[in-house]
Amino acid sequence: MSTYAPIQRLGKDAAVPVAVYGARANRLARLRALGLPVPLAYAVSVPAVQGIAAGHMPDITSLLAKFGGRGIVSVRSSPIEREWGGPQTLLNVGLNDDIHAKLCRRLGEHDATLLYCRFVLEYSVHVARLDSESFDGIRNDGSPAALAAALAVYEAEMDEAFPQDPADQLGHVLRSMARAWEGTTARILRQARGAPTDAGLGLIVQRMALGLGGGESGAGFVQFVKPSTGEATIRGRYLSKSQGMEAKQPGRQADFITIDKRGRSLEEASPDALADLQKFAAIARLGCHDTLKFEFTIESGKTWLLDAAPADRSPRAAVRIAVDLAEDGAISRKTALLRVEPENLQQLLHPQVDPDAPAEIFARGLRASPGAACGRIVFSATAAQSSAAQDEPCILVRHETSPEDIRGMHSAKGVLTERGGMTSHAAVIARGLGLPCVVGASGITLNPKRKTMTTSDGRVFNEGDIITVDGTNGIAMVGEVAMMRPELDGAFATLMAWAAEFCDIGIRANADTPADARSARSFGVEGIGLCRTEHMFFQEDRLTVMREMIFADDADDRRAALDRLLPMQRSDFAELFEIMHGLPVCIRLFDPPLHEFLPHSREAMQELADAMALPVSQVIARAEGLREFNPMLGLRGVRLGLSVPEIYEMQARAIFEATVLASRNGKPVVPEIMIPLVSAAREVDLVKNHIDAVAAAVLNESGRKFTYRLGTMVETPRAALRAGDLALNSAFLSFGTNDLTQMTYGLSRDDAGRFMSTYVNQQVFPEDPFHTLDRDGVGELLHIASERARAARPDIVLSVCGEHGGDPESIAFCRSEGLDYVSCSPFRVPIARLAAAQDAVRGTNKATEDLVVK
Amino acid sequence: MSTYAPIQRLGKDAAVPVAVYGARANRLARLRALGLPVPLAYAVSVPAVQGIAAGHMPDITSLLAKFGGRGIVSVRSSPIEREWGGPQTLLNVGLNDDIHAKLCRRLGEHDATLLYCRFVLEYSVHVARLDSESFDGIRNDGSPAALAAALAVYEAEMDEAFPQDPADQLGHVLRSMARAWEGTTARILRQARGAPTDAGLGLIVQRMALGLGGGESGAGFVQFVKPSTGEATIRGRYLSKSQGMEAKQPGRQADFITIDKRGRSLEEASPDALADLQKFAAIARLGCHDTLKFEFTIESGKTWLLDAAPADRSPRAAVRIAVDLAEDGAISRKTALLRVEPENLQQLLHPQVDPDAPAEIFARGLRASPGAACGRIVFSATAAQSSAAQDEPCILVRHETSPEDIRGMHSAKGVLTERGGMTSHAAVIARGLGLPCVVGASGITLNPKRKTMTTSDGRVFNEGDIITVDGTNGIAMVGEVAMMRPELDGAFATLMAWAAEFCDIGIRANADTPADARSARSFGVEGIGLCRTEHMFFQEDRLTVMREMIFADDADDRRAALDRLLPMQRSDFAELFEIMHGLPVCIRLFDPPLHEFLPHSREAMQELADAMALPVSQVIARAEGLREFNPMLGLRGVRLGLSVPEIYEMQARAIFEATVLASRNGKPVVPEIMIPLVSAAREVDLVKNHIDAVAAAVLNESGRKFTYRLGTMVETPRAALRAGDLALNSAFLSFGTNDLTQMTYGLSRDDAGRFMSTYVNQQVFPEDPFHTLDRDGVGELLHIASERARAARPDIVLSVCGEHGGDPESIAFCRSEGLDYVSCSPFRVPIARLAAAQDAVRGTNKATEDLVVK
């Protein structure tokens, strides 16, 4: 940095790197270089500003001399990243009695005095740091009395007259801004926005364009795209005879930019000015490779661009803008991909309430998690699960949620809670799940026992009533309100096509149901990476048979129950195969512990006992007998598969029979079967023997040949370490990074909520390892496993399923490990694909990043 | 093996390796080489026997010719390991009409006919494999009629006359024995005793010594140590005019060996024979480096040793015999150490019921786990835990136990169940814990609700009544029955001293209480490797304060409750420091989740609510709020320590204040403080900051200097992988292999019982990984962690605490990894020390193993 001047003129032929002078200085330099009418400006470098804060003032007099002695300038902050904020812009620096007198002549006394008085007030409060209350009695009406009063207060408080030397003023302004940047509040605020502890600030000193005076004069702001959609349109305001952002101030009757029936417009006042702005914007768009928003001033008919920044844009607009820029040749496709934050796609993918639809709001609360959903009210997690099992959308309504509700939240379409804040359990979890959620809803009272929700005006909702929850706006509405379906074609589709072009890792979806599978196909996945079969057993009719199996006395009885589940499973799989149309479908064999299928409450056990004509004591005893201290580490997965082999045999048969069926109707299907919770190679060997036998039997019965691929889910640290052994009988390994993270950390995800935020805040964990894959621990196990598996079987297919498969940072890690594919929930597929494409683009073309206008 | 003769004469100058000819052949060869009167014998090698089974008979005629044509021989099995068993010995092979006639002349017709008839019967059943029922009508009374009848049945069944050619007979005998070895039953039996699938069998053909005839003739068996204790004494029986082991047959009035008031004795009948046996035994003891038992025959006044094997010995006797042999110079001390199975020491260490004490037995059951214990009856695991918390020994009495009872079993001194077999949950777990246990006790009926146990004769026991459980004998007795304290001095002490000499890895004990610590010191440990502090909070008075802390509203209230626990903890630690007298004491900070301290049943919650003057709903809500899905992976250990820092602060203060106190009274104490459940280095850093601050405060208040060592427990796979980071702020790492195994496998020990036996039987796991450390998975993590920790901090102290620390195979692994010490429960300290010494001895002196007589 030392080779850069402490004070640098902005313009053509001047190197104004962002890292030295900040983003704004760089941007203004570009605009000047493009020949746009940006008033003369000089940047003070980050090291120079640090020097100023430490007491080393550069030569201010010669700096002011560069502006030709007229001496009125503005000072703006130029942090390295725009998001970090910075001290407030100060206008009219250099105004003193002398210049005031001149301005009186030029602008008239009222306007000149208004300006001077405003400057005195701002300088007093923001630079001299006087208490603003000291000036409370003064109303700046442009009168000499108001000015005199302001100057008098200044003198009384400071024990000296208001500074008359412009250099003196500017020196104080620079020092004040440099020091404000170092202040505790500013530091905390910018660190909250991701700034490093040594975040640097540059400053810009710019000739004032007054916005006052003869001819059309005034100031405003404008951008040429619609922030919500990114369509080309003109948005902004203009205020005649004003400066800076006065047009934005409430109470000021600012004009529209274009002709508008609601009021006056710049277009009417000065069509030339508008034409200039449009011309300038088009030049800037191509030259700066982005659509900008501008702060502009018209001084006696001449239009000046004082400041510029990337135009405001919603996530949806960001997609459109990036695609339009690329299609207009302003940026490359690679750069377009980098312009969209993958995580933000989520807002495009979720439905939103149609703002024009009629709706009866019955509760308002916090906007805990965006998106909208409607469904039947359920008051318990269990009810949510059984509702989901019947494919009946539901909204979980609770006083507040707790870890026990997590599975219910997974099953619900939306969440509404009576209590809780933005960091309550419900809010945190819902955001994690991408589930619309309103918390702390005022005006409702729940009675979960009676299963009612009562509003403050006495309206009573019962379980099963339909409501709509709008997490984007923090409201809950009666009945089903019209939604805007997410718009997944147009620019989005184009961007996704480009992402697919550069994405060099496979993307599959986790899909358990036909609906999931269809949704996955609509996002163009390369297959299903994880089909969890257990959800299939929670549907009412199947649950009963499942329970009969659990209560069976011996293998024969168990098999009889399973025989009744077989046709249902077969049609489940056949349907998935048909939807996926020849794309690979990876089916995980039954995984959960059996006790998940038994009721928990005494009442429900009594019901079950009645239904099965068993003494309730037997039901209780069975439930007790199956109860586990740590179900995650208990009798489930392959352990259950080997202890009760009939289950896997039934599932294998269902898969193979469905394979035969689907292959008859369409492309040949090669099912992938995955064994869960393996910790020793012999588990794979034994299951393989069972499944091979079933395959042989089905082949024999059907007379049709088919093949299948057997793989292992790597979820235990031991499986990762022994991946070389596992690979011998596994065509593929899929890392179940949810469980692998839980076991590597010794940390139950369901129970971690109680301390995870403390841990992340205290930086014990840099991030929640369930959101972003822990490279240092879990990542090392993945690395070891991949190496060993490939050494044992070079053609082995390696993948990650589980929620990390949809997380951009984790996907980058998977790419670096050379995994074949990631699998994530269908709605994260676009996010995953874009993230992978970005990672690939960054790897091949570092330079493209520079094209991002900051 | 091909260089060894298929048939080898036993004796001096003949190489008869165990691996080729079997253990018995090797032993007899040694005895003959020592010049002892063992009849001429030839060994058939293992390959030759395999050949015989496959139909390749060696030249039998020339083999028989080596015996000088007299032709009567015995055939004995000689498996490579004695424990594998083998076909029954066959005597008098070669007997035919011709020799019968000669024997009639020599022994008289009755004796000769008795012998021949017996041979015909045995040959028919064991060699010709005729149905023994065919001979049911024949009573071998030495009459010609009986003989004729036997020969007639043979001829009728076999359709040929009884073979008269001795070579023919011998050939059939050899083939029959060779094939019997290959039979399924024999194979399963020996594999159950640990034989490999290709276990080899040798055979021995030996000249018969008849034990009949003129002068003193007969046969018997003898050994010169008492089997129960190993004291020098003579035990055996002798039967005049008999063969083989007839002296052992019930109903035969065999003589004692030495003069005995209960009957006749060999000492009286033939003092010379006894003197011979004593002389032979002494020679054999030195020459074979072990005390043997003998099968002997006196033939017309001459004493022959037909067979020998290591003398019978209990675990206690094995210790005495090994020490005596070494002290007599028959073996080295190293060899003496190898003579005792470490696991068997357990039987020396546990009290046994005094067989002479009066006792009233009220129930008999299965001998599920050895040792005896007495205590008050408790009918629930919870009652057992609270009884243990009050240092009140208890016996857990249950219908049967289930995983929920495990903690109760940990707390009980003994277990008695109404139901269950040798592989029931109670039996398996009790053996694992070294807990006396009787299962399937007949004659008792429990009513756990009323808390009574009723015997079949109507006697009623209530909770709190004292009983004694004798797992060694499978009985339960009324009241406290006199015990034999384990004898831990004498030979045991000597052996332990030798073990300490060769043991090159530190042995510490896991000790939570003063009683544990004293017990540990009595076994000469090098310190306490794991003091679990949570048990200290279960005592009645402390539990109340603990619960007040749990219900505290804020940190101040929590601290107030903890302030009341502080003096109790301080005196706990001070007492441990005093008992350990300057030896290191490693204290693990509070580890369990808080909900373990709250009651579970509705009634107990009501009680607690009353006691704390809280609404019961609040108690329930708190318990609900603390409930976890997977408590092992939840808010416990360092996570709790960082979430509620007051707990660790109180404990650190208690430790440091106790350090100051104890250092005043005795040797300076350097406490070791260990952080549980770490998964990230920053957890250690943060706890270190807290504890350093407390240390500084205590130093300041007391004005006394002290130091402490902070270490980390490696229990999560991630901690193992990140051991290099952890080492930076850890003076030591201790591998908590129980939890590490659970997390590496994703397997809860409490829940694994349901399928562990299936898994071990199907060889999914070669052994229960909670008993023997899994080298391939957990072991690799240990290895990685050790390497990384040492690289980061070469002087770091590494150890294993947890039950693997007391398992011989696991200890061998720890030695191979160069760990500094293992820590195990006090009663396993001798086992650990002996196992470590054996492993060291084996490593330095492979040859010593050959000295073990098989």
Side-chain angles (χ1 to χ4, degrees), chain A residues 169-233:
Chain A
Q169 286 181 10
L170 180 58
H172 279 101
V173 168
L174 294 177
R175 181 159 51 228
S176 158
M177 290 173 95
R179 290 201 175 150
W181 182 254
E182 308 285 344
T184 311
T185 316
R187 194 186 292 270
I188 289 172
L189 279 174
R190 68 176 173 262
Q191 284 178 10
R193 293 173 189 144
T197 46
D198 61 348
L201 175 74
L203 292 171
I204 297 165
V205 180
Q206 187 181 45
R207 188 181 69 74
M208 276 300 291
L210 278 185
L212 301 166
E216 183 59 39
S217 292
F221 55 92
V222 66
Q223 73 175 37
F224 295 85
V225 290
K226 189 171 168 185
S228 60
T229 62
E231 300 169 71
T233 185

